[in-house]
């Protein structure tokens, strides 16, 4: 194929590069292959994460597409942590920090080897955001193939997923189910490869990738085990070479207009609150700034159109059958930046003109029209007040309507472990507000997710009366009155550090308020006497704590 001067020319052109070519020939390459554009295939495949165990097959299909289009693929791997397996113990300290390691490792590999373009094969919570950050940073033509949702599990006639099992632990602790019934759910909830089947963080970020214009239409919701995903991977490999010809790069696609489109999509589908960390971090790599206020404004303007698990009843396979991300964008197209560019080489509007709804009935059932939404506002709300001056985040679409306004007594814990123990031991009473602090980006460190505790509250039947506040964050599988990302965090002397057992907490989601019934003078008096808890850290986490910003800035490294 005809291309202009390529990055890889620095490693392979001219007599001075004879030694370089000799090393390439040691890998079996011939001159005709060396002459082609060098395409990095960035693959997070491993045998420890269910969302990744099939990515080697997708990578093979993608490489076939690259070869068909005249490129030369070179595959390398990134690390991948499964949040579900890391949940509820010290392993979760490392999940969010891994996002930066992934981005850094890709930058090192790509800059050192001078690749002309990148095809990312990725899945799951921090891996996909880390790869998007890297794509923006190295800014060579790039396209993403996301791994796809897991099939929904089935137990009897009930559709179940990972969050069902976490919630079932709470039911077991409350004596509502037997250990045998819990074991049956454990066996059936996760039937195979793919990202956990609800609209948790992994699948939310796949939708955000398509919404940003960085993956082909239909990619986000195509199931991991569907042959359609293999075909999308192959077509993505072929399309990438067209992006090389056009020199169309990630920062040409991931503009502020594209991020606004992605946030509107997020609000329409009711995605994970973790997007409030990842989209700002990706935007930062593009030289852009996204604030929590933008999320809240978009939420007020964009109706919530789906009822996807964990907050609703439909699955990702239902969304795919209804037309997927593109069908949602079609419903909100009047609010979109329709001229935003995508990896198809076409605009959002041009892509939507080619949209064909295969199942109109499913489309109407799963994705409502804007004049008949599930909620008039989007899935996420940003709260502020004397507990969270810089903001806090709640997935309002997954909150019991009775809990959108709640006043209760604070039950304060200085770690997730202490709070989980109290919840499991039945120490939380109806009406309480659980406060978990020192779990922010610096305090945790690493801003641990709280799925174990929130699921136990749900399973025990308390989510209609108990709220949970934290400077940490929540899994995309969380539902209930769970307010996270409280900024400033406790470890930085934020007001959450001043809270005590018995303080009266007021939550008002519609009014976007989060307050404790204390005077400013009392809060300041308590903070004056506050001492930061000592942290004994080593290795990567010690370096991470010195560099990481607050949650309202996306927990980026500064």
């Amino acid at each position: 194929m005809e291309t202009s001067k390529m990055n890889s020319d620095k490693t392979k052109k001219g007599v001075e590069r004879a030694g370089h070519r000799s090393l390439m020939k040691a890998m079996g390459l011939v001159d005709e292959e060396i002459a082609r554009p060098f395409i990095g295939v960035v693959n997070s495949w491993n045998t420890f994460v269910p969302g990744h165990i099939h990515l080697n097959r997708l990578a093979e299909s993608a490489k076939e597409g690259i070869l068909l289009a005249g490129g030369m693929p070179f595959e390398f791997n990134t690390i991948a942590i499964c949040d579900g397996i890391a949940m509820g113990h010290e392993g979760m300290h490392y999940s969010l920090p891994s996002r930066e390691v992934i981005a850094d490792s890709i930058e090192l590999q790509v800059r050192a080897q001078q690749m002309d373009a990148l095809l990312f094969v990725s899945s799951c919570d921090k891996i996909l955001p880390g790869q998007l950050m890297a794509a923006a940073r190295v800014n060579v033509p790039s396209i993403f193939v996301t791994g796809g949702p897991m099939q929904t599990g089935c137990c009897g006639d009930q559709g179940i997923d990972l969050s069902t099992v976490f919630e079932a632990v709470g039911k077991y602790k409350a004596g509502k189910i037997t250990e045998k019934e819990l074991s049956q759910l454990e066996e059936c909830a996760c039937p195979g490869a793919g990202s956990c089947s609800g609209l948790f963080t992994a699948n939310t970020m796949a939708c955000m990738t398509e919404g940003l214009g960085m993956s082909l239409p239909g990619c986000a919701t195509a199931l991991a085990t569907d042959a359609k995903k293999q075909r999308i991977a192959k077509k993505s490999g072929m399309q990438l070479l067209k992006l090389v010809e056009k020199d169309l790069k990630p920062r040409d696609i991931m503009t502020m207009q594209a991020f606004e489109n992605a946030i509107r999509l997020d609000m329409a589908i009711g995605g994970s609150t973790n997007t409030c960390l990842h989209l700002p971090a990706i935007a930062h790599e593009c030289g852009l700034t996204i604030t929590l206020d933008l999320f809240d404004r978009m939420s007020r303007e964009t109706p919530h159109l789906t009822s996807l698990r964990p907050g609703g009843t439909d699955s990702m396979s239902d969304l795919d059958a209804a037309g997927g991300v593109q069908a949602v964008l079609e419903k909100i197209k009047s609010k979109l930046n329709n001229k935003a560019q995508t990896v198809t080489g076409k605009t959002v509007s041009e892509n939507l003109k080619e949209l064909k709804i295969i199942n109109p009935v499913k489309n109407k059932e799963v994705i409502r029209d804007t004049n008949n939404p599930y909620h008039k506002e989007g899935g996420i709300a940003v709260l502020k007040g004397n507990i969270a001056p810089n903001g806090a985040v709640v997935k309002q679409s997954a909150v019991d309507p009775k809990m959108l306004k709640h006043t209760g007594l604070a039950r304060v814990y200085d770690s997730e472990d202490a709070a989980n123990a109290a919840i499991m031991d039945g120490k939380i009473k109806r009406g309480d507000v659980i406060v978990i602090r020192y779990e922010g980006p610096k305090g945790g460190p690493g801003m641990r997710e709280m799925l174990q505790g929130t699921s136990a509250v749900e399973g025990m039947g308390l989510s209609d009366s108990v709220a949970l506040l934290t400077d940490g964050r929540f899994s995309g599988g969380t539902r209930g009155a769970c307010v996270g990302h409280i900024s400033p965090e406790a470890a930085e002397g934020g007001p959450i550090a001043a809270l005590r057992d018995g303080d009266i907490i007021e939550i008002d989601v519609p009014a976007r308020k989060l307050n404790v019934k204390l005077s400013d003078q009392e809060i300041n008096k308590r903070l004056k006497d506050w001492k930061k808890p000592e942290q004994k850290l080593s290795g990567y986490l010690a370096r991470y704590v010195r560099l990481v910003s607050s949650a309202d800035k996306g927990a980026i490294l500064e």
Side-chain angles (χ1 to χ4, degrees):
M1 62 176 291
E2 293 294 328
T3 62
S4 58
K5 184 174 177 59
M6 297 182 289
N7 291 336
S8 61
D9 288 349
K10 300 172 188 176
T11 70
K12 66 188 183 185
K13 286 288 183 74
V15 295
E16 298 85 0
R17 297 294 182 255
H20 299 64
R21 293 191 295 273
S22 180
L23 290 169
M24 295 173 193
K25 289 178 179 180
M27 297 182 289
L29 271 64
V30 297
D31 289 332
E32 290 79 2
E33 290 173 311
I34 295 172
R36 293 181 171 198
F38 282 7
I39 311 299
V41 177
V42 189
N43 189 359
S44 56
W45 170 82
N46 62 70
T47 60
F48 206 90
V49 184
H52 297 244
I53 56 174
H54 65 302
L55 296 187
N56 55 341
R57 297 193 297 274
L58 289 182
E60 289 302 317
S61 293
K63 288 188 288 186
E64 289 169 8
I66 291 167
L67 290 167
L68 282 170
M72 185 61 215
F74 294 88
E75 186 175 357
F76 65 95
N77 289 86
T78 66
I79 63 169
I81 291 172
C82 177
D83 280 16
I85 296 173
M87 194 72 64
H89 55 83
E90 67 180 32
M92 185 50 75
H93 289 297
Y94 294 87
S95 176
L96 183 60
S98 75
R99 185 184 70 181
E100 271 55 39
V101 173
I102 290 164
D104 290 348
S105 67
I106 295 168
E107 177 191 4
L108 292 170
Q109 184 82 46
V110 173
R111 294 298 192 206
Q113 309 300 167
Q114 291 295 308
M115 299 175 190
D116 299 308
L118 297 170
L119 187 147
F120 294 84
V121 183
S122 184
S123 188
C124 293
D125 298 39
K126 310 309 161 302
I127 301 89
L128 182 49
Q131 291 193 359
L132 282 162
M133 290 165 65
R137 189 184 300 176
V138 301
N139 202 36
V140 297
S142 300
I143 196 167
F144 279 74
V145 179
T146 51
M150 184 184 292
Q151 288 182 327
T152 303
C154 184
C155 189
D157 60 354
Q158 178 188 7
I160 61 174
D161 54 37
L162 179 64
S163 65
T164 311
V165 184
F166 275 101
E167 291 174 8
V169 174
K171 291 181 179 179
Y172 171 73
K173 292 285 186 178
K176 295 181 178 181
I177 62 173
T178 65
E179 187 173 356
K180 182 177 180 181
E181 289 172 317
L182 175 60
S183 179
Q184 288 173 336
L185 292 171
E186 174 187 327
E187 289 282 343
C188 302
C190 300
S195 303
C196 299
S197 61
L199 188 64
F200 312 151
T201 304
N203 289 321
T204 298
M205 285 309 303
C207 292
M208 294 302 95
T209 304
E210 188 174 331
L212 282 168
M214 289 301 294
S215 62
L216 291 182
C219 185
T221 57
L223 293 185
T225 53
D226 192 334
K228 177 169 64 174
K229 182 68 80 176
Q230 301 290 129
R231 298 193 296 272
I232 289 172
K234 193 170 294 186
K235 288 179 180 178
S236 297
M238 298 168 69
Q239 179 62 24
L240 181 55
L241 273 295
K242 294 180 181 179
L243 300 182
V244 173
E245 289 179 356
K246 293 183 177 182
D247 197 30
L248 187 61
K249 299 174 181 176
R251 291 188 208 170
D252 300 323
I253 295 170
M254 290 193 288
T255 61
M256 182 57 77
Q257 290 72 31
F259 280 101
E260 289 177 353
N261 286 346
I263 293 172
R264 286 198 188 277
L265 170 67
D266 189 18
M267 299 306 145
I269 61 178
S272 166
T273 52
N274 281 311
T275 56
C276 296
L277 292 172
H278 298 321
L279 289 177
I282 299 161
H284 177 73
E285 297 289 352
C286 295
L288 303 171
T289 299
I290 291 178
T291 65
L292 289 182
D293 289 339
L294 179 60
F295 279 87
D296 198 58
R297 177 169 67 82
M298 293 289 182
S299 181
R300 292 177 185 272
E301 298 173 355
T302 311
H304 176 220
L305 304 180
T306 67
S307 178
L308 297 167
R309 292 179 62 86
T313 56
D314 292 330
S315 68
M316 291 302 296
S317 59
D318 292 320
L319 181 59
D320 189 54
V325 164
Q326 298 300 309
V328 179
L329 294 177
E330 173 69 23
K331 298 286 179 96
I332 60 171
K333 63 183 179 182
S334 64
K335 299 179 180 294
L336 298 176
N337 298 299
N338 284 290
K339 293 184 179 179
Q341 186 63 256
T342 74
V343 291
T344 64
K346 301 174 183 177
T347 65
V348 170
S349 178
E350 289 169 336
N351 288 341
L352 292 178
K353 286 179 181 177
E354 297 179 4
L355 176 66
K356 295 179 181 178
I357 302 297
I358 298 173
N359 191 332
V361 174
K362 196 75 169 178
N363 177 261
K364 289 287 185 181
E365 290 175 346
V366 176
I367 310 169
R368 289 189 174 181
D369 294 327
T370 54
N371 60 6
N372 181 36
Y374 283 96
H375 302 98
K376 291 182 179 180
E377 293 186 350
I380 289 174
V382 176
L383 312 185
K384 292 186 178 181
N386 64 3
I387 296 176
N390 295 346
V393 178
V394 62
K395 189 174 182 177
Q396 61 177 341
S397 59
V399 177
D400 188 302
K402 292 184 291 186
M403 292 295 291
L404 291 172
K405 293 183 179 182
H406 179 71
T407 300
L409 298 181
R411 301 291 303 276
V412 182
Y413 302 93
D414 287 345
S415 70
E416 179 193 7
D417 308 274
N420 284 347
I423 294 167
M424 295 297 185
D425 289 345
K427 295 180 180 178
I428 302 301
K429 308 303 179 186
R430 297 187 70 83
D432 285 346
V433 178
I434 305 167
V435 178
I436 306 177
R437 62 190 178 191
Y438 300 108
E439 290 289 3
K442 289 182 181 292
M447 207 177 179
R448 287 196 286 182
E449 288 186 343
M450 308 287 177
L451 182 60
Q452 189 171 29
T454 60
S455 295
V457 168
E458 176 69 34
M460 291 175 171
L462 296 174
S463 64
D464 65 344
S465 66
V466 170
L468 194 154
L469 311 182
T470 182
D471 54 7
R473 62 194 175 90
F474 297 112
S475 163
T478 293
R479 54 178 168 162
C482 301
V483 183
H485 305 208
I486 290 176
S487 300
E489 62 174 295
E492 292 189 307
I496 189 174
L499 299 183
R500 296 175 181 171
D501 280 346
D503 286 343
I504 299 173
I505 307 292
E506 296 179 324
I507 302 168
D508 189 335
V509 175
R512 304 302 202 262
K513 298 294 184 182
L514 177 62
N515 289 297
V516 57
K517 291 190 74 173
L518 295 173
S519 67
D520 291 343
Q521 291 83 356
E522 177 62 21
I523 293 173
N524 291 333
K525 179 183 176 183
R526 292 184 186 184
L527 290 177
K528 189 176 181 180
D529 297 331
W530 169 79
K531 291 183 180 180
K532 182 180 177 179
E534 183 181 354
Q535 289 177 303
K536 295 181 180 180
L537 300 172
S538 61
Y540 180 68
L541 289 183
R543 298 196 300 274
Y544 182 81
V545 165
R546 290 196 295 268
L547 298 173
V548 69
S549 72
S550 63
D552 63 296
K553 294 181 179 179
I556 59 172
L557 298 189
E558 295 182 319

